Amino acid sequence: MQLSEIRIKNYRLLIDAKLDVDAKTTLIVGRNNTAKTSCSSCISTVLQEGVFSYNDYPLSKREDLLNMFLQFMEKKMSYEDLCKNRHYFY
């Protein structure tokens, strides 16, 4: 089996990225600060069965995620309600 596409959502600078994989050669090219390193780091973590951390979650989404967890920990939000908001997690 060969990969033809890699999709990365909510990882560092990558909010919703798609990488088409060619059978022979795939290059990741871009200007500085365009998430090339984030892309290769994510792929590497998955292939090596590594662990993702809170710091891998995009800055733009961290505040909402943190607020939900705080509400849950303070028992202001049920587990079910937390799960209903799972779109924040991926």
Side-chain angles (χ1 to χ4, degrees):
M1 176 159 117
Q2 180 178 334
L3 289 177
S4 61
E5 175 182 295
I6 296 173
R7 190 105 190 221
I8 301 173
K9 295 184 86 170
N10 295 327
Y11 182 80
R12 298 183 185 176
L13 295 175
L14 302 167
I15 302 301
D16 188 4
K18 181 182 131 185
L19 175 66
D20 294 320
V21 180
D22 186 69
K24 295 182 181 178
T25 305
T26 298
L27 300 173
I28 300 174
V29 179
R31 300 178 85 153
N32 290 342
N33 294 320
T34 57
K36 299 179 303 291
T37 301
S38 293
C39 182
S40 62
S41 175
C42 183
I43 293 168
S44 177
T45 301
V46 169
L47 292 176
Q48 295 175 12
E49 298 181 18
V51 177
F52 293 101
S53 74
Y54 179 74
N55 292 328
D56 293 326
Y57 203 68
L59 287 172
S60 63
K61 296 193 172 241
R62 285 186 198 176
E63 186 174 353
D64 290 337
L65 179 64
L66 178 60
N67 287 333
M68 281 193 306
F69 277 127
L70 289 174
Q71 288 179 24
F72 173 71
M73 296 304 289
E74 294 170 357
K75 301 191 186 297
K76 294 179 181 174
M77 179 184 287
S78 69
Y79 178 74
E80 291 77 21
D81 288 337
L82 182 64
C83 291
K84 286 178 188 175
N85 290 306
R86 67 182 181 269
H87 61 277
Y88 285 102
F89 306 122
Y90 43 121

Coordinates of all heavy atoms in Angstrom, one line a residue:
M1 N 0.8 -1.2 0.0 CA 0.0 0.0 0.0 C 0.9 1.2 0.0 O 1.9 1.3 0.7 CB -0.9 0.0 1.3 CG -1.7 1.2 1.4 SD -3.0 0.9 2.4 CE -3.0 1.8 3.8
Q2 N 0.5 2.2 -0.8 CA 1.3 3.5 -0.9 C 0.4 4.6 -0.5 O -0.8 4.7 -0.9 CB 1.8 3.6 -2.3 CG 2.6 4.9 -2.5 CD 3.1 5.0 -3.9 OE1 3.3 4.0 -4.6 NE2 3.3 6.2 -4.3
L3 N 0.9 5.6 0.3 CA 0.2 6.8 0.6 C 0.1 7.7 -0.6 O 1.1 7.8 -1.4 CB 0.9 7.6 1.7 CG 0.9 7.0 3.1 CD1 1.8 7.8 4.0 CD2 -0.5 6.8 3.6
S4 N -1.0 8.3 -0.8 CA -1.2 9.2 -1.9 C -1.5 10.6 -1.4 O -1.3 11.6 -2.1 CB -2.3 8.8 -2.8 OG -3.6 8.7 -2.1
E5 N -1.8 10.7 -0.1 CA -2.1 12.0 0.5 C -1.9 12.0 2.0 O -2.2 10.9 2.7 CB -3.6 12.3 0.2 CG -4.1 13.6 0.9 CD -5.6 13.8 0.6 OE1 -6.0 14.0 -0.5 OE2 -6.4 13.7 1.6
I6 N -1.4 13.0 2.6 CA -1.2 13.2 4.0 C -2.0 14.4 4.4 O -1.9 15.5 3.8 CB 0.3 13.4 4.4 CG1 1.0 12.1 4.0 CG2 0.4 13.7 5.9 CD1 2.5 12.2 4.2
R7 N -2.8 14.3 5.4 CA -3.7 15.4 5.9 C -3.3 15.6 7.4 O -3.3 14.7 8.2 CB -5.1 15.0 5.9 CG -6.1 16.0 6.1 CD -6.7 16.5 4.8 NE -7.4 17.7 5.0 CZ -8.6 17.9 4.4 NH1 -9.1 17.0 3.6 NH2 -9.2 19.0 4.6
I8 N -3.0 16.9 7.7 CA -2.6 17.3 9.0 C -3.5 18.4 9.5 O -3.6 19.4 8.8 CB -1.1 17.8 9.1 CG1 -0.2 16.7 8.6 CG2 -0.7 18.2 10.5 CD1 1.3 17.1 8.4
K9 N -4.1 18.2 10.7 CA -5.1 19.1 11.2 C -4.6 19.5 12.6 O -4.3 18.6 13.4 CB -6.5 18.6 11.2 CG -7.0 18.4 9.8 CD -8.5 17.9 9.9 CE -9.3 19.1 9.9 NZ -10.7 18.9 9.8
N10 N -4.6 20.8 12.9 CA -4.3 21.3 14.3 C -3.0 20.8 14.8 O -3.0 20.3 15.9 CB -5.5 21.0 15.2 CG -6.8 21.7 14.8 OD1 -6.7 22.8 14.3 ND2 -7.9 21.1 15.0
Y11 N -2.0 21.0 14.1 CA -0.6 20.7 14.6 C 0.3 21.9 14.3 O 0.5 22.3 13.2 CB -0.1 19.5 13.8 CG 1.3 19.0 14.3 CD1 1.5 18.3 15.5 CD2 2.4 19.4 13.6 CE1 2.7 18.0 15.9 CE2 3.7 19.0 14.0 CZ 3.8 18.3 15.2 OH 5.1 18.0 15.6
R12 N 0.7 22.5 15.4 CA 1.6 23.7 15.3 C 1.0 24.8 14.4 O -0.1 25.3 14.6 CB 3.0 23.3 15.0 CG 3.6 22.4 16.0 CD 5.0 22.1 15.7 NE 5.6 21.2 16.7 CZ 6.8 20.6 16.6 NH1 7.6 21.0 15.6 NH2 7.2 19.8 17.5
L13 N 1.7 25.1 13.3 CA 1.2 26.1 12.4 C 0.2 25.5 11.4 O -0.4 26.3 10.6 CB 2.4 26.7 11.6 CG 3.4 27.5 12.4 CD1 4.5 28.0 11.6 CD2 2.7 28.7 13.1
L14 N 0.0 24.2 11.4 CA -0.9 23.6 10.4 C -2.3 23.4 10.9 O -2.5 22.5 11.7 CB -0.3 22.3 10.0 CG 1.1 22.3 9.4 CD1 1.7 20.9 9.3 CD2 1.1 23.0 8.0
I15 N -3.2 24.2 10.5 CA -4.6 24.1 11.0 C -5.3 23.1 10.1 O -6.1 22.3 10.7 CB -5.3 25.5 10.9 CG1 -4.6 26.6 11.7 CG2 -6.8 25.4 11.3 CD1 -4.4 26.2 13.2
D16 N -5.1 23.1 8.8 CA -5.8 22.1 8.0 C -4.9 22.0 6.7 O -5.1 22.8 5.8 CB -7.2 22.5 7.6 CG -8.0 21.4 6.9 OD1 -7.4 20.3 6.7 OD2 -9.1 21.6 6.5
A17 N -4.0 21.1 6.7 CA -3.1 21.0 5.5 C -3.2 19.6 4.8 O -3.5 18.6 5.5 CB -1.6 21.2 6.0
K18 N -3.0 19.7 3.5 CA -3.0 18.5 2.7 C -1.8 18.4 1.9 O -1.4 19.4 1.3 CB -4.3 18.5 1.8 CG -4.4 17.3 1.0 CD -5.6 17.4 0.1 CE -5.2 17.1 -1.3 NZ -6.2 17.2 -2.3
L19 N -1.1 17.3 1.9 CA 0.1 17.1 1.2 C -0.1 15.9 0.2 O -0.4 14.8 0.6 CB 1.3 16.8 2.1 CG 2.6 16.4 1.5 CD1 3.2 17.6 0.7 CD2 3.6 16.0 2.5
D20 N -0.1 16.2 -1.1 CA -0.2 15.1 -2.1 C 1.2 14.4 -2.2 O 2.2 15.1 -2.4 CB -0.6 15.6 -3.4 CG -2.0 16.2 -3.4 OD1 -2.9 15.6 -2.8 OD2 -2.3 17.2 -4.0
V21 N 1.2 13.1 -2.1 CA 2.4 12.3 -2.1 C 2.5 11.6 -3.5 O 1.7 10.9 -3.9 CB 2.4 11.2 -1.0 CG1 3.7 10.4 -1.1 CG2 2.2 11.9 0.3
D22 N 3.6 11.9 -4.2 CA 3.9 11.4 -5.5 C 4.6 10.0 -5.3 O 5.3 9.8 -4.3 CB 4.8 12.3 -6.3 CG 5.0 11.8 -7.7 OD1 4.1 11.9 -8.5 OD2 6.2 11.4 -8.0
A23 N 4.4 9.1 -6.3 CA 4.9 7.8 -6.2 C 6.5 7.8 -6.2 O 7.1 6.9 -5.6 CB 4.4 7.0 -7.4
K24 N 7.1 8.8 -6.9 CA 8.5 8.8 -7.0 C 9.2 9.8 -6.1 O 10.2 9.5 -5.4 CB 8.9 9.0 -8.4 CG 8.5 7.9 -9.3 CD 8.9 8.1 -10.7 CE 8.5 6.9 -11.6 NZ 8.8 7.1 -13.0
T25 N 8.7 11.1 -6.1 CA 9.4 12.1 -5.4 C 8.3 13.1 -4.8 O 7.4 13.5 -5.5 CB 10.3 12.9 -6.3 OG1 11.2 12.0 -6.9 CG2 11.1 14.0 -5.6
T26 N 8.5 13.5 -3.6 CA 7.7 14.5 -3.0 C 8.6 15.5 -2.3 O 9.4 15.1 -1.5 CB 6.7 13.9 -2.0 OG1 5.8 13.0 -2.7 CG2 5.9 15.0 -1.3
L27 N 8.5 16.8 -2.6 CA 9.3 17.8 -2.0 C 8.4 18.7 -1.2 O 7.2 19.0 -1.6 CB 10.0 18.7 -3.1 CG 10.9 17.9 -4.0 CD1 11.4 18.9 -5.1 CD2 12.1 17.4 -3.3
I28 N 8.9 19.2 -0.1 CA 8.2 20.2 0.7 C 9.0 21.5 0.6 O 10.1 21.6 1.1 CB 8.1 19.8 2.2 CG1 7.3 18.5 2.3 CG2 7.4 20.9 3.0 CD1 7.3 17.9 3.7
V29 N 8.5 22.4 -0.2 CA 9.2 23.7 -0.5 C 8.3 24.8 0.0 O 7.1 24.8 -0.2 CB 9.4 23.8 -2.0 CG1 10.1 25.1 -2.3 CG2 10.2 22.6 -2.5
G30 N 8.9 25.9 0.5 CA 8.2 27.1 0.9 C 9.1 28.1 1.5 O 10.2 27.8 1.9
R31 N 8.5 29.3 1.7 CA 9.3 30.4 2.3 C 9.4 30.1 3.8 O 8.8 29.1 4.4 CB 8.5 31.7 2.2 CG 8.3 32.0 0.7 CD 7.5 33.3 0.6 NE 8.4 34.4 0.7 CZ 8.2 35.6 0.2 NH1 7.1 35.8 -0.4 NH2 9.0 36.5 0.4
N32 N 10.2 30.9 4.5 CA 10.4 30.8 5.9 C 9.1 30.9 6.7 O 8.2 31.7 6.2 CB 11.4 31.8 6.5 CG 12.8 31.5 6.0 OD1 13.1 30.4 5.6 ND2 13.7 32.5 6.1
N33 N 8.9 30.2 7.8 CA 7.7 30.3 8.6 C 6.4 29.9 7.8 O 5.4 30.5 8.1 CB 7.6 31.7 9.2 CG 8.6 32.0 10.2 OD1 9.1 31.1 11.0 ND2 9.1 33.2 10.2
T34 N 6.5 28.9 7.0 CA 5.3 28.4 6.3 C 5.0 27.0 6.7 O 4.2 26.3 6.0 CB 5.5 28.5 4.7 OG1 6.7 27.8 4.4 CG2 5.6 30.0 4.3
A35 N 5.6 26.5 7.8 CA 5.3 25.2 8.4 C 5.9 24.0 7.7 O 5.4 22.9 7.9 CB 3.7 25.0 8.5
K36 N 7.0 24.2 7.0 CA 7.7 23.0 6.5 C 8.2 22.1 7.6 O 8.0 20.9 7.5 CB 8.8 23.4 5.6 CG 8.5 24.3 4.4 CD 9.7 24.7 3.6 CE 10.7 25.4 4.4 NZ 10.4 26.8 4.8
T37 N 8.8 22.7 8.6 CA 9.3 21.9 9.7 C 8.2 21.2 10.5 O 8.3 20.1 10.9 CB 10.2 22.8 10.6 OG1 11.3 23.3 9.9 CG2 10.7 22.0 11.8
S38 N 7.1 22.0 10.7 CA 5.9 21.4 11.4 C 5.4 20.2 10.6 O 5.1 19.1 11.2 CB 4.8 22.4 11.5 OG 5.2 23.5 12.3
C39 N 5.4 20.2 9.3 CA 4.9 19.1 8.5 C 5.8 17.9 8.7 O 5.3 16.8 9.0 CB 4.8 19.6 7.0 SG 4.2 18.3 5.9
S40 N 7.1 18.1 8.5 CA 8.0 17.0 8.6 C 8.1 16.4 10.0 O 8.2 15.2 10.3 CB 9.4 17.3 8.1 OG 9.9 18.4 8.9
S41 N 7.9 17.3 11.0 CA 7.9 16.9 12.4 C 6.7 16.0 12.7 O 6.8 15.0 13.4 CB 8.0 18.1 13.4 OG 7.9 17.7 14.7
C42 N 5.6 16.4 12.2 CA 4.3 15.7 12.5 C 4.4 14.3 11.8 O 4.1 13.3 12.4 CB 3.1 16.4 11.9 SG 1.6 15.6 12.2
I43 N 4.9 14.2 10.6 CA 5.0 12.9 9.9 C 6.0 12.1 10.6 O 5.8 10.9 10.9 CB 5.5 13.2 8.4 CG1 4.4 13.9 7.6 CG2 5.9 11.9 7.8 CD1 4.8 14.4 6.3
S44 N 7.1 12.6 11.1 CA 8.1 11.9 11.8 C 7.5 11.3 13.2 O 7.8 10.1 13.5 CB 9.3 12.7 12.1 OG 10.3 12.1 12.9
T45 N 6.8 12.1 13.9 CA 6.2 11.7 15.1 C 5.2 10.5 14.9 O 5.2 9.5 15.6 CB 5.4 12.8 15.8 OG1 6.4 13.9 16.1 CG2 4.8 12.4 17.1
V46 N 4.4 10.6 13.8 CA 3.5 9.5 13.5 C 4.2 8.3 13.1 O 3.9 7.2 13.6 CB 2.5 9.9 12.4 CG1 1.7 8.8 11.9 CG2 1.6 11.0 12.9
L47 N 5.2 8.4 12.3 CA 5.9 7.2 11.8 C 6.7 6.5 12.9 O 6.9 5.3 12.9 CB 6.9 7.6 10.6 CG 6.2 8.0 9.3 CD1 7.2 8.4 8.3 CD2 5.3 6.8 8.8
Q48 N 7.2 7.3 13.9 CA 8.0 6.7 15.0 C 7.1 6.4 16.2 O 7.6 6.1 17.3 CB 9.1 7.7 15.4 CG 10.1 7.9 14.3 CD 11.1 8.9 14.6 OE1 11.3 9.4 15.7 NE2 11.9 9.4 13.6
E49 N 5.8 6.5 16.0 CA 4.8 6.3 17.1 C 5.2 7.1 18.3 O 5.1 6.6 19.5 CB 4.8 4.8 17.4 CG 4.3 3.9 16.3 CD 4.2 2.4 16.6 OE1 4.2 2.1 17.8 OE2 4.2 1.7 15.6
G50 N 5.5 8.4 18.1 CA 5.8 9.3 19.1 C 4.6 9.8 19.8 O 3.5 9.4 19.5
V51 N 4.8 10.7 20.7 CA 3.7 11.3 21.5 C 3.6 12.8 21.2 O 4.6 13.5 21.1 CB 4.0 11.2 23.0 CG1 3.0 11.8 23.9 CG2 4.2 9.7 23.4
F52 N 2.4 13.2 21.0 CA 2.1 14.7 20.7 C 1.9 15.3 22.1 O 1.4 14.8 23.0 CB 0.9 14.8 19.9 CG 1.1 14.3 18.5 CD1 0.5 13.1 18.1 CD2 1.8 15.1 17.5 CE1 0.7 12.6 16.8 CE2 1.9 14.6 16.2 CZ 1.4 13.4 15.9
S53 N 2.3 16.6 22.2 CA 2.2 17.3 23.4 C 1.3 18.6 23.2 O 0.9 18.9 22.1 CB 3.6 17.8 23.9 OG 4.0 18.9 23.1
Y54 N 1.0 19.2 24.3 CA 0.2 20.4 24.3 C 0.8 21.5 23.4 O 0.1 22.2 22.8 CB 0.0 20.9 25.7 CG -0.8 22.2 25.9 CD1 -2.2 22.1 25.7 CD2 -0.2 23.4 26.1 CE1 -3.0 23.3 25.8 CE2 -1.0 24.5 26.2 CZ -2.3 24.5 26.1 OH -3.1 25.6 26.1
N55 N 2.1 21.5 23.4 CA 2.9 22.5 22.6 C 2.7 22.3 21.1 O 3.0 23.2 20.4 CB 4.3 22.6 23.0 CG 4.5 23.1 24.4 OD1 3.8 23.9 24.9 ND2 5.5 22.6 25.1
D56 N 2.3 21.1 20.7 CA 2.1 20.8 19.3 C 0.7 21.4 18.9 O 0.4 21.4 17.7 CB 2.1 19.3 19.1 CG 3.5 18.8 19.2 OD1 4.5 19.5 19.0 OD2 3.7 17.6 19.7
Y57 N -0.2 21.7 19.8 CA -1.5 22.2 19.5 C -1.4 23.7 19.0 O -0.6 24.4 19.6 CB -2.4 22.1 20.7 CG -3.8 22.0 20.4 CD1 -4.4 20.9 19.8 CD2 -4.7 23.1 20.7 CE1 -5.7 20.9 19.5 CE2 -6.0 23.0 20.5 CZ -6.5 21.9 19.8 OH -7.9 21.9 19.5
P58 N -2.1 24.1 18.0 CA -1.9 25.4 17.5 C -2.2 26.5 18.5 O -3.2 26.4 19.3 CB -3.0 25.5 16.4 CG -3.3 24.1 16.0 CD -3.1 23.3 17.3
L59 N -1.4 27.6 18.5 CA -1.6 28.7 19.5 C -3.0 29.3 19.3 O -3.6 29.6 20.3 CB -0.6 29.8 19.2 CG 0.9 29.5 19.7 CD1 1.8 30.6 19.2 CD2 1.0 29.3 21.1
S60 N -3.5 29.3 18.1 CA -4.8 30.0 17.9 C -6.0 29.2 18.5 O -7.0 29.7 18.7 CB -5.0 30.1 16.4 OG -5.1 28.8 15.8
K61 N -5.7 27.9 18.9 CA -6.8 27.1 19.5 C -6.6 26.8 20.9 O -7.5 26.3 21.6 CB -7.0 25.9 18.7 CG -7.4 26.1 17.2 CD -7.9 24.9 16.6 CE -8.5 25.2 15.2 NZ -9.9 24.8 15.2
R62 N -5.4 27.1 21.5 CA -5.1 26.7 22.8 C -6.0 27.3 23.9 O -6.4 26.7 24.9 CB -3.6 27.0 23.1 CG -2.7 26.1 22.5 CD -1.3 26.4 23.0 NE -0.3 25.8 22.1 CZ 1.0 25.9 22.2 NH1 1.5 26.6 23.1 NH2 1.8 25.3 21.3
E63 N -6.3 28.6 23.7 CA -7.1 29.3 24.8 C -8.5 28.6 24.9 O -8.9 28.4 26.1 CB -7.2 30.7 24.4 CG -7.9 31.5 25.5 CD -7.9 33.0 25.3 OE1 -7.3 33.5 24.3 OE2 -8.6 33.7 26.1
D64 N -9.1 28.3 23.8 CA -10.5 27.7 23.9 C -10.3 26.3 24.5 O -11.2 25.9 25.4 CB -11.1 27.5 22.5 CG -11.5 28.9 21.9 OD1 -11.7 29.8 22.7 OD2 -11.6 29.0 20.7
L65 N -9.3 25.6 24.1 CA -9.1 24.2 24.7 C -8.8 24.3 26.2 O -9.5 23.5 27.0 CB -8.0 23.5 24.0 CG -7.6 22.1 24.4 CD1 -8.7 21.2 24.2 CD2 -6.3 21.7 23.7
L66 N -8.0 25.2 26.6 CA -7.7 25.3 28.0 C -8.9 25.7 28.8 O -9.1 25.2 29.9 CB -6.5 26.4 28.2 CG -6.1 26.7 29.6 CD1 -5.6 25.4 30.3 CD2 -5.1 27.8 29.7
N67 N -9.7 26.7 28.3 CA -10.9 27.1 29.0 C -11.9 25.9 29.2 O -12.5 25.8 30.2 CB -11.5 28.3 28.3 CG -10.8 29.5 28.5 OD1 -10.1 29.7 29.5 ND2 -10.9 30.4 27.5
M68 N -12.0 25.1 28.2 CA -12.9 24.0 28.3 C -12.4 23.0 29.3 O -13.2 22.5 30.2 CB -13.1 23.2 26.9 CG -14.0 23.9 26.0 SD -14.5 22.9 24.6 CE -12.9 22.5 23.9
F69 N -11.1 22.7 29.3 CA -10.6 21.8 30.3 C -10.7 22.4 31.7 O -11.0 21.6 32.7 CB -9.1 21.5 30.0 CG -8.9 20.4 29.0 CD1 -8.1 20.6 27.9 CD2 -9.6 19.1 29.2 CE1 -8.0 19.5 27.0 CE2 -9.4 18.1 28.3 CZ -8.6 18.3 27.2
L70 N -10.5 23.7 31.9 CA -10.7 24.3 33.2 C -12.1 24.2 33.7 O -12.4 23.8 34.9 CB -10.2 25.7 33.2 CG -8.7 26.0 33.1 CD1 -8.4 27.5 32.9 CD2 -8.0 25.4 34.3
Q71 N -13.1 24.4 32.8 CA -14.5 24.2 33.2 C -14.8 22.8 33.6 O -15.5 22.6 34.5 CB -15.4 24.7 32.0 CG -15.4 26.1 31.7 CD -16.3 26.5 30.6 OE1 -17.2 25.7 30.2 NE2 -16.0 27.6 29.9
F72 N -14.2 21.9 32.8 CA -14.4 20.5 33.2 C -13.8 20.1 34.5 O -14.5 19.5 35.4 CB -13.8 19.6 32.1 CG -13.9 18.1 32.4 CD1 -15.1 17.4 32.4 CD2 -12.7 17.4 32.7 CE1 -15.1 16.1 32.8 CE2 -12.7 16.1 33.0 CZ -13.9 15.4 33.1
M73 N -12.6 20.6 34.8 CA -11.9 20.3 36.0 C -12.6 20.9 37.2 O -12.6 20.4 38.3 CB -10.4 20.7 36.0 CG -9.6 20.0 34.9 SD -9.6 18.2 35.1 CE -8.7 18.0 36.6
E74 N -13.2 22.1 37.0 CA -14.0 22.8 38.1 C -15.4 22.3 38.2 O -16.2 22.9 38.9 CB -13.9 24.3 37.8 CG -12.5 24.9 37.9 CD -12.5 26.3 37.4 OE1 -13.5 26.9 36.9 OE2 -11.4 26.9 37.5
K75 N -15.7 21.3 37.4 CA -17.0 20.6 37.4 C -18.1 21.6 36.9 O -19.3 21.5 37.3 CB -17.4 20.1 38.8 CG -16.4 19.0 39.2 CD -16.8 18.3 40.4 CE -15.8 17.3 40.9 NZ -15.4 16.2 40.1
K76 N -17.7 22.5 36.1 CA -18.7 23.5 35.5 C -19.1 22.9 34.1 O -20.0 23.5 33.5 CB -18.1 24.8 35.3 CG -17.8 25.5 36.6 CD -17.2 26.9 36.4 CE -16.9 27.5 37.8 NZ -16.1 28.8 37.6
M77 N -18.5 21.9 33.7 CA -18.8 21.2 32.4 C -18.8 19.7 32.6 O -17.8 19.2 33.2 CB -17.8 21.7 31.3 CG -18.1 21.0 30.0 SD -16.9 21.4 28.7 CE -17.3 23.1 28.3
S78 N -19.8 19.0 32.1 CA -19.8 17.6 32.2 C -18.8 17.0 31.2 O -18.5 17.6 30.2 CB -21.2 17.0 32.0 OG -21.6 17.2 30.7
Y79 N -18.5 15.7 31.4 CA -17.7 15.0 30.5 C -18.4 14.9 29.1 O -17.8 15.0 28.1 CB -17.4 13.6 31.0 CG -16.6 12.7 30.1 CD1 -15.2 13.0 29.9 CD2 -17.2 11.7 29.3 CE1 -14.5 12.2 29.0 CE2 -16.4 10.9 28.4 CZ -15.1 11.2 28.3 OH -14.3 10.5 27.4
E80 N -19.7 14.7 29.2 CA -20.5 14.6 27.9 C -20.4 15.9 27.1 O -20.3 15.9 25.9 CB -21.9 14.2 28.2 CG -22.1 12.8 28.7 CD -21.7 12.6 30.2 OE1 -21.7 13.6 31.0 OE2 -21.4 11.5 30.6
D81 N -20.5 17.0 27.8 CA -20.4 18.3 27.2 C -19.0 18.6 26.6 O -18.9 19.1 25.5 CB -20.8 19.5 28.1 CG -22.3 19.5 28.4 OD1 -23.1 18.9 27.5 OD2 -22.7 20.0 29.4
L82 N -18.0 18.1 27.4 CA -16.7 18.2 26.9 C -16.5 17.4 25.6 O -15.9 17.9 24.6 CB -15.7 17.7 27.9 CG -14.2 17.8 27.6 CD1 -13.8 19.3 27.4 CD2 -13.4 17.1 28.7
C83 N -17.0 16.3 25.5 CA -17.0 15.4 24.3 C -17.8 16.0 23.2 O -17.4 15.8 22.0 CB -17.5 14.0 24.6 SG -16.4 13.1 25.7
K84 N -18.8 16.7 23.4 CA -19.6 17.3 22.4 C -18.8 18.4 21.7 O -19.1 18.8 20.5 CB -20.9 18.0 22.9 CG -22.0 17.0 23.3 CD -23.2 17.7 23.9 CE -24.1 16.6 24.4 NZ -25.3 17.3 25.1
N85 N -17.8 19.0 22.4 CA -17.0 20.0 21.8 C -15.7 19.4 21.3 O -14.7 20.1 21.1 CB -16.6 21.1 22.9 CG -17.8 21.9 23.2 OD1 -18.5 22.5 22.4 ND2 -18.2 21.9 24.5
R86 N -15.7 18.2 20.9 CA -14.4 17.5 20.4 C -13.9 18.1 19.2 O -12.7 17.9 18.9 CB -14.7 16.0 20.3 CG -15.6 15.6 19.2 CD -15.8 14.1 19.1 NE -16.7 13.7 18.1 CZ -18.0 13.6 18.2 NH1 -18.6 13.8 19.4 NH2 -18.8 13.3 17.2
H87 N -14.6 18.9 18.4 CA -14.1 19.5 17.2 C -12.9 20.5 17.6 O -12.1 20.8 16.7 CB -15.2 20.3 16.5 CG -15.8 21.4 17.3 ND1 -16.8 21.2 18.2 CD2 -15.5 22.7 17.3 CE1 -17.1 22.3 18.7 NE2 -16.4 23.3 18.2
Y88 N -12.8 20.9 18.8 CA -11.6 21.7 19.2 C -10.4 20.8 19.3 O -9.3 21.4 19.3 CB -11.9 22.3 20.6 CG -12.8 23.5 20.5 CD1 -14.1 23.4 20.9 CD2 -12.4 24.7 20.1 CE1 -15.0 24.5 20.9 CE2 -13.2 25.8 20.0 CZ -14.5 25.7 20.4 OH -15.4 26.7 20.3
F89 N -10.5 19.5 19.5 CA -9.4 18.7 19.7 C -8.7 18.2 18.4 O -7.5 17.8 18.4 CB -9.7 17.4 20.5 CG -10.4 17.8 21.8 CD1 -11.7 17.3 22.0 CD2 -9.8 18.5 22.7 CE1 -12.3 17.6 23.2 CE2 -10.4 18.8 23.9 CZ -11.7 18.4 24.2
Y90 N -9.4 18.3 17.3 CA -8.8 17.9 16.0 C -9.4 18.6 14.9 O -10.0 19.6 14.9 CB -8.9 16.4 15.8 CG -10.1 15.7 16.2 CD1 -10.8 15.0 15.3 CD2 -10.6 15.8 17.5 CE1 -12.0 14.3 15.6 CE2 -11.8 15.1 17.8 CZ -12.5 14.4 16.9 OH -13.6 13.7 17.3

